[in-house]
C-alpha cells in the first residue's frame, strides 16, 4: 500500500503549482521532511522542478548538500526513465484540494504558502493547517 499525496506551492496570484508523490506522504513522514528540508521558496521550486515523484527525500539528488538529509527524492523521469510530468497549475489551493483525492487518490495535500507548510486531507477536509503545529500536537498525544 502507498500513502499518496500532492506537494504544491501557492503563487502570489493564488494559483498553485503541484506535483504528485506516490509513497509515504503521511504527516510524520513527508510533513516532517518538508518542514526540515524545504524551507525556502527557492528550494521548493527545485523540488517541484523534478516533476512527479515516486518518493520524497530530504535531498533533491545524490550530490545535494542539504545538511542532515539522508534520503534522496526518486523522480519518475530522472530515476525511473518515465516521461516527465511537469507541475500542474490549479486555479486555487481549494480547487487542487477538491480534485486531489479523485484524480490522484491523494490522502494528503501539502502547500507551501507564505513561507511555511500547510496541509489538508482531501478525503476529509478540515481546513488548511500548519504542518509544524499538527506534528507538535501529534507528538503530544
Amino acid at each position: 500500500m502507498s500513502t499518496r499525496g500532492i506537494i504544491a506551492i501557492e503563487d502570489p496570484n493564488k494559483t498553485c503549482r503541484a506535483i504528485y508523490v506516490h509513497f509515504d506522504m503521511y504527516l510524520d513522514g513527508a510533513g516532517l521532511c518538508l518542514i526540515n528540508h524545504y524551507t525556502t521558496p527557492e528550494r521548493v521550486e527545485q523540488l517541484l522542478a523534478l516533476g512527479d515523484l515516486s518518493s520524497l527525500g530530504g535531498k533533491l539528488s545524490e550530490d545535494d548538500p542539504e545538511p542532515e538529509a539522508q534520503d534522496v527524492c526518486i523522480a519518475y523521469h530522472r530515476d525511473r526513465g518515465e516521461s516527465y510530468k511537469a507541475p500542474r497549475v490549479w486555479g486555487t489551493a481549494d480547487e487542487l484540494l477538491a480534485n486531489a483525492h479523485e484524480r490522484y487518490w491523494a490522502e494528503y495535500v501539502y502547500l507551501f504558502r507564505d513561507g511555511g507548510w500547510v496541509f489538508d486531507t482531501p478525503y476529509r477536509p478540515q481546513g488548511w493547517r500548519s504542518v509544524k503545529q499538527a506534528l507538535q500536537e501529534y507528538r503530544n498525544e
Side-chain angles (χ1 to χ4, degrees), residues 15-89:
T15 61
C16 295
R17 291 173 287 123
I19 60 172
Y20 166 79
V21 185
H22 192 73
F23 288 107
D24 301 331
M25 292 301 289
Y26 44 88
L27 187 60
D28 59 341
L32 190 58
C33 181
L34 291 168
I35 66 169
N36 286 334
H37 302 291
Y38 298 95
T39 59
T40 65
E42 296 79 20
R43 186 122 172 107
V44 176
E45 292 289 357
Q46 292 172 328
L47 175 62
L48 293 178
L50 291 173
D52 288 354
L53 303 175
S54 177
S55 64
L56 173 68
K59 290 184 166 203
L60 295 163
S61 65
E62 287 290 341
D63 55 349
D64 184 351
E66 180 65 12
E68 302 192 27
Q70 296 174 4
D71 296 332
V72 176
C73 292
I74 299 175
Y76 283 115
H77 79 285
R78 180 188 68 196
D79 303 310
R80 300 256 168 102
E82 297 183 22
S83 61
Y84 178 68
K85 294 209 172 133
R88 265 83 59 214
V89 178

